[in-house]
Structures are given as structure tokens and as C-alpha cells.
Amino acid sequence: MTTTPKFSPSKIRLKSWMQDCRSLTLSLFENLDHETFCRQAHPDFSPIGWHLGHIAYTEALWLLQRCAGRPPIFPEYHRLFAQDGLPKGDRVHLPHLCEILHYLEAVRSQVFDYLETAPLETEERLWKWLLQHEGQHVETIAIVLKLQEKNQRSNANKTDFVASSTQNAAMICIPAGYFEQGNESIDALDNERPIQQIYLETYWIDRFPVTCGAYRSFIQSGGYQDAKWWSQAGWQWLQKNSITEPLYWRNDRIYDDHPVCGVNWFEADAYTRFVGKRLPTEAEWEKAASWNAGNSKRSTYPWGNQPPDPTRCHYAQKGTSSVHSHPKGQSQAGCHELLGNVWEWTASWFDGYKGFESYPYPAYSQAYFDGSHRVLKGGSWATYPWALRSSFRNWYHPHVREIFAGFRAVRDAKP
């Protein structure tokens, strides 16, 4: 007599997370027309339909083919949805949404079938990686949808600036000493590992990310027209692009206490010079987010080790929220809005930690250790909860402003 294998508690939890993640993903595609599904809104980003198909392709490749040893399903999709299959501009010729939804469901059905017998003790890290992989591509989907929305509003009339600033100028003192940077949990991606002992001198960091109300002072003071606030590379970028405000700028006072969103590294750097500060290094940001100086212990999240919830941070939403919305989410040091809302630029270049080992393949992180990508921390309003942790590292070129990025500033302690 044969019996159906029962899911262990860890497998039940993993299956539930995967179902929750997929429900969030599919909610973005409700009532979506085929033109929006296939449109390439920006040369650097694939159409949203491609990302949806790529999620299914990647799940099938790693779990069904490489782990379960099953033959490829829907081989006709492999070149279309592989990361290295077609140039981004050629990814606009897509099947209809209903066909890709069928692809997703067929793959997921076999994946859950395999989960019953999968050796999770050796594969759990891969399953967790795939869960985060889906979330990362869905955040890109949110970016492309936001770009399409912005393009449709491009001819709308702009209102005059309103002189206002709600930025809380308070800064938090982070005392000198060692802390643990990184993460070695089963959830951690390869670029978060291994944990490093880092010594930092005393510094001060903004309690909140820079708000729209505060950033308006930079715009109104002619910050985009004054070379003295910009790095040489930043000024060259600005002259080529004639930018006068953040990409997702909404000139309405109701957003004054929201974090500024849609700035690139050059803009963030220029603003910090304007106010006499600088961008934090990745280590300075992470110490303020994760280190408890009282007991010399690192926590996974700013508030401790309890998973994210809507009372602590702003994630998987439709846009930014007030920087004062989540007092329960502050770090032990006293900083707010470190996870969710907007990614935060740092001064650091993306590179591997000492002892880095690539996973699950070298090109996932290692290909970007090229000295041309800056690190961002913290997640955004579009980030899924499975990628929200203080050690998580995002990376982009300094000129990119399409991502949901803002920043906070630091200054050195006075002698």
C-alpha cells in the first residue's frame, strides 16, 4: 500500500510563501491590455510580459530540470525567456497573457509535485533564492509600469513649486566600534556572505530618508543648475540630459513628508553636498540598521528578528508613504524607514566580501563586481517581504534613476 508523502512544516511554510508571492505577482496583471504587456518602456528594461515568462522559465530550469531531472517543458519558450536568449529590444513579440499564465501554472504544478519528495535539507537555499528571484523581477515589472504611466502623463501641465519643507533634520550618532556586516542565513544571497567584522569611526546619520519637502529646497535654490554641488561625472551626466527634478517628482504638498523617489546616485550625491553632508558607505548604513551597540549583536531587521509586517515597514504597495508611518520599524539606533518605501543609495561600489562564493551561478552577482555599480540598501514600496533585510544588497549604475530610489545622508563626527 502506497501513501502520499506528507509535507514537513518547513515545506508547508515554503509552499505558502510561494503561493503568497505568486498571488502578489499576478495581481499586477489584472485587467492589463496586450499592448501594455508587450511594450518596452525604456531601452534598459524588458517588457513586463517577458519578466512574467522569465519567472516561469527560471523556476522550471532550476527545480524541474536541474534538481528533479525532468525533461524541459515548453521548450519553445526557452530562447525567448532565458536571460541570455534575446536582446531586450527583441523581447516585445510575446505570447498572450493567457498563454504565459498557463505556462506559469504548468510549471508551478510540477514544482509543487516535486516539492513532496525534494531533499529540502540540501536544496532549501535554492528554493529561497527562487522566491526572491521572482520578487526582484516583479519589482522590475513595477518600474516598467510606472514608466509607462509617467510617459502617459508627460504632457500634463505642471504646477508651480510650493515653498515647504517637512524634513526632520535630526541625526543619530553611531558610536565608533566594530559591527557584523552581512548575513549567512539560508535566505541570504551570495553577495551578502560571509559575515565581516568591520570597524567604523563615530558618525552621524539622518534619522529619516530625505523627503520631497526637503529636496524641494535643492530644486528651488538652483541645485540642478549649479556645478559646485555636483561631482565631475555627475555634472557631465546632467549637461547631457537636462534634468531639473527627480524622475517621479510629484509637485504636491501632500507628498512633502514622503521620501524623494526616482533620483540617481549623482542627484543624491549633489543634494548631500548642498546640505554639507555626504552619502553613507554601505557599512555605515548597515550598522545603523542592524547593530545593537548595547548588547553587541546583529539583528536581521532594524527592529529585531521578527519578519516584516505592515506596521513596521512599507512594502508590496503601489507607491511611497510618509516617513513617519512606521515608528515600530525604527532601528535600535533610532533610524526610521530603513526597509521599504525607497531604496537608498550608498557611497560604496558593489563588490564581493572577502571569502565570497558565487551561488547559484557566477553571473548572478559576480558579473557586476566591475567597479561601475553603486550599492543600494533597504528595499522599496514595490519590494516583496522575502528580500527585506538589513544585509540585502541591490546594485545599479550611478546614472540610473528609473528605480524606486532615494537616500539619507551622513556626516563625520567633529573632532
Side-chain angles (χ1 to χ4, degrees):
M1 183 178 188
T2 60
T3 59
T4 302
K6 292 184 178 180
F7 279 1
S8 65
S10 58
K11 289 186 177 182
I12 292 172
R13 183 168 57 249
L14 179 60
K15 183 177 181 180
S16 176
W17 286 341
M18 294 178 75
Q19 290 171 323
D20 291 345
C21 180
R22 185 57 52 83
S23 294
L24 288 170
T25 298
L26 296 182
S27 69
L28 295 176
F29 291 86
E30 295 175 357
N31 304 315
L32 199 72
D33 61 86
H34 189 65
E35 182 182 356
T36 301
F37 188 69
C38 298
R39 182 185 299 129
Q40 187 183 26
H42 188 281
D44 292 342
F45 296 91
S46 301
I48 63 172
W50 181 88
H51 287 280
L52 191 63
H54 175 74
I55 289 168
Y57 166 81
T58 305
E59 194 170 291
L61 174 68
W62 286 98
L63 294 178
L64 300 182
Q65 294 174 226
R66 299 194 177 184
C67 290
R70 300 187 182 187
I73 61 174
F74 298 90
E76 65 272 23
Y77 289 156
H78 285 200
R79 184 165 182 262
L80 173 59
F81 292 125
Q83 186 69 40
D84 56 356
L86 292 173
K88 290 183 174 68
D90 294 341
R91 295 172 179 176
V92 297
H93 307 293
L94 296 167
H96 282 275
L97 173 60
C98 60
E99 297 178 59
I100 297 184
L101 290 177
H102 174 66
Y103 181 32
L104 283 162
E105 180 55 36
V107 170
R108 180 53 64 86
S109 177
Q110 290 199 30
V111 163
F112 282 164
D113 176 63
Y114 171 60
L115 180 59
E116 293 185 3
T117 57
L120 209 57
E121 62 276 6
T122 59
E123 292 182 4
E124 184 178 5
R125 185 181 177 190
L126 179 62
W127 288 75
K128 296 287 186 66
W129 176 81
L130 284 163
L131 184 67
Q132 294 176 78
H133 172 268
E134 178 166 339
Q136 288 172 302
H137 278 275
V138 173
E139 181 151 357
T140 303
I141 288 170
I143 291 171
V144 175
L145 288 172
K146 186 63 70 173
L147 290 173
Q148 294 197 43
E149 176 187 322
K150 184 180 186 303
N151 291 340
Q152 292 170 354
R153 297 198 318 260
S154 61
N155 294 325
N157 292 329
K158 295 182 179 180
T159 57
D160 293 333
F161 286 128
V162 180
S164 173
S165 176
T166 62
Q167 170 73 351
N168 187 327
M171 301 188 79
I172 303 295
C173 182
I174 309 296
Y178 283 93
F179 85 106
E180 293 180 354
Q181 181 178 12
N183 192 324
E184 294 176 0
S185 71
I186 197 70
D187 304 279
L189 304 182
D190 60 359
N191 58 67
E192 298 173 64
R193 302 164 180 253
I195 290 175
Q196 311 283 305
Q197 292 285 335
I198 304 293
Y199 180 85
L200 296 175
E201 297 290 351
T202 301
Y203 62 97
W204 292 77
I205 187 168
D206 288 347
R207 184 185 296 270
F208 300 96
V210 173
T211 61
C212 292
Y215 196 86
R216 181 177 285 113
S217 64
F218 177 66
I219 299 174
Q220 291 183 313
S221 298
Y224 279 91
Q225 293 78 40
D226 195 336
K228 70 181 179 182
W229 307 125
W230 298 79
S231 65
Q232 183 178 357
W235 186 248
Q236 290 174 349
W237 167 82
L238 187 62
Q239 299 313 296
K240 291 180 180 178
N241 292 277
S242 301
I243 302 300
T244 60
E245 63 188 29
L247 182 61
Y248 303 119
W249 185 254
R250 293 175 294 185
N251 196 34
D252 190 319
R253 290 187 66 174
I254 64 172
Y255 299 113
D256 273 4
D257 62 353
H258 288 224
V260 65
C261 182
V263 293
N264 65 18
W265 189 91
F266 296 134
E267 292 169 283
D269 176 63
Y271 175 88
T272 61
R273 295 168 187 248
F274 173 73
V275 295
K277 302 178 185 179
R278 59 177 175 83
L279 286 172
T281 64
E282 178 183 8
E284 288 171 334
W285 190 99
E286 193 167 328
K287 184 177 182 180
S290 66
W291 192 245
N292 187 330
N295 59 19
S296 297
K297 288 186 177 180
R298 175 182 57 87
S299 61
T300 304
Y301 313 103
W303 54 84
N305 292 311
Q306 302 79 27
D309 68 66
T311 70
R312 292 188 171 99
C313 55
H314 188 68
Y315 61 91
Q317 296 296 325
K318 302 294 185 181
T320 57
S321 69
S322 167
V323 298
H324 304 289
S325 297
H326 306 92
K328 291 183 179 180
Q330 68 176 305
S331 68
Q332 294 293 326
C335 294
H336 291 244
E337 299 296 312
L338 287 156
L339 297 188
N341 227 341
V342 291
W343 290 101
E344 297 186 23
W345 288 105
T346 73
S348 300
W349 295 106
F350 185 55
D351 202 352
Y353 295 155
K354 184 178 181 180
F356 168 84
E357 295 181 2
S358 63
Y359 182 89
Y361 57 96
Y364 178 68
S365 294
Q366 195 168 356
Y368 302 95
F369 299 162
D370 56 6
S372 63
H373 292 77
R374 296 282 188 177
V375 175
L376 299 101
K377 301 287 286 184
S380 78
W381 54 263
T383 304
Y384 282 0
W386 302 281
L388 288 175
R389 53 184 173 273
S390 300
S391 59
F392 192 93
R393 310 172 75 200
N394 196 357
W395 63 92
Y396 273 96
H397 288 290
H399 69 269
V400 175
R401 64 203 306 259
E402 289 76 22
I403 54 177
F404 304 131
F407 61 100
R408 73 182 69 215
V410 301
R411 65 171 175 79
D412 299 324
K414 295 180 179 179

